[in-house]
Amino acid sequence: MTQHVVITGANRGIGLSFCQFYLALGYQVTAVVRQPSDELTALNVTVIDNIDVSQADDVTHLAQALTGQKIDILINNAGIFHNESLTNMDFAAIELQLAINALAPIRVTHALLANLTSGSKVAMITSRMGSIADNSSGAYIGYRMSKAALNAASVSMAHELKGQGIAVAILHPGFVQTQMVGFAGDISPTQAAERLAQRIEQLTLVNSGTFWHSNGDVLPW
């Protein structure tokens, strides 16, 4: 039976590369976006658009569109990135990052619980910038807060879903050359998606809730 992967934030960057990767493996791919890119629409994937994952009504529409469809892998990839510090503060940007980076993956996973069955996997695309132990420079207050919150919630979900046979991965992609970071970075979105997919492949109920770098290293909280 064809495996089904659902990917949020799939119109560019790592999300688009995830679509290309899983499509090449023969998966049924569902891409969830606000607005599809030309690169995405050129692929043989199902696109569910006009979905802002931070909005409850949109996520309800997403769940309705996927009614009755089993999801083998759910990749919560959508995210935003800003930089606030004590000398450059923007509370609205912090709140937006919390809504999209921390709350939205929980909202989506909760809405799609009926689609997940024993053996399904949930991948949370987070960041090592959510690690408190790894913070040696400060700043990026909202982004760090949002990813730390996502990490905490993901561990809780890993515990709660284990009894249903559903595993959760908490994954840092690496420093990836995407629009989000002005195309700085040391690996391409294609490389990041391939490495992240390896971590998802290795995900089991035993290591569910682990915070991984895409290279396989376990990261500190």
Side-chain angles (χ1 to χ4, degrees), residues 155 158 168-171 203 206-212 216-219 221:
V155 172
V168 178
I170 306 166
L171 302 173
L203 175 64
V206 174
N207 58 30
S208 181
T210 301
F211 184 16
W212 278 305
D217 292 343
V218 175
L219 295 171
W221 298 111

Side-chain angles (χ1 to χ4, degrees), residues 45 72 92 101 108 159:
V45 303
D72 297 284
N101 297 345
V108 170
H159 287 300

Side-chain angles (χ1 to χ4, degrees), residues 42-174:
L43 300 178
N44 184 26
V45 303
T46 299
V47 177
I48 302 177
D49 60 7
N50 294 312
I51 301 295
D52 181 339
V53 290
S54 69
Q55 299 301 308
D57 287 348
D58 286 8
V59 174
T60 297
H61 292 319
L62 171 62
Q64 291 170 343
L66 290 167
T67 298
Q69 299 186 46
K70 178 186 175 185
I71 298 173
D72 297 284
I73 302 174
L74 170 61
I75 302 178
N76 286 295
N77 169 73
I80 60 169
F81 176 81
H82 294 287
N83 181 13
E84 308 80 30
S85 65
L86 290 176
T87 55
N88 182 32
M89 186 54 66
D90 185 337
F91 287 104
I94 290 176
E95 290 177 351
L96 187 61
Q97 288 170 98
L98 287 168
I100 295 174
N101 297 345
L103 293 177
I106 305 166
R107 190 187 299 279
V108 170
T109 305
H110 180 260
L112 298 180
L113 280 177
N115 304 83
L116 303 173
T117 61
S118 181
S120 293
K121 299 179 179 183
V122 178
M124 301 295 196
I125 307 304
T126 182
S127 172
R128 73 185 304 162
M129 290 181 71
S131 167
I132 294 171
D134 192 62
N135 185 350
S136 60
S137 63
Y140 302 97
I141 290 173
Y143 191 74
R144 292 185 190 279
M145 287 172 65
S146 67
K147 294 301 189 178
L150 174 59
N151 292 353
S154 299
V155 172
S156 284
M157 285 191 284
H159 287 300
E160 292 192 51
L161 292 172
K162 186 171 289 188
Q164 300 175 46
I166 300 166
V168 178
I170 306 166
L171 302 173
H172 166 63

Side-chain angles (χ1 to χ4, degrees), residues 189-200:
T190 298
Q191 290 172 302
E194 290 174 352
R195 298 199 319 190
L196 291 164
Q198 289 177 352
R199 305 287 77 78
I200 295 169

Side-chain angles (χ1 to χ4, degrees), residues 171-184:
L171 302 173
H172 166 63
F175 189 23
V176 186
Q177 298 154 351
T178 64
Q179 182 175 328
M180 180 183 283
V181 294
F183 300 102

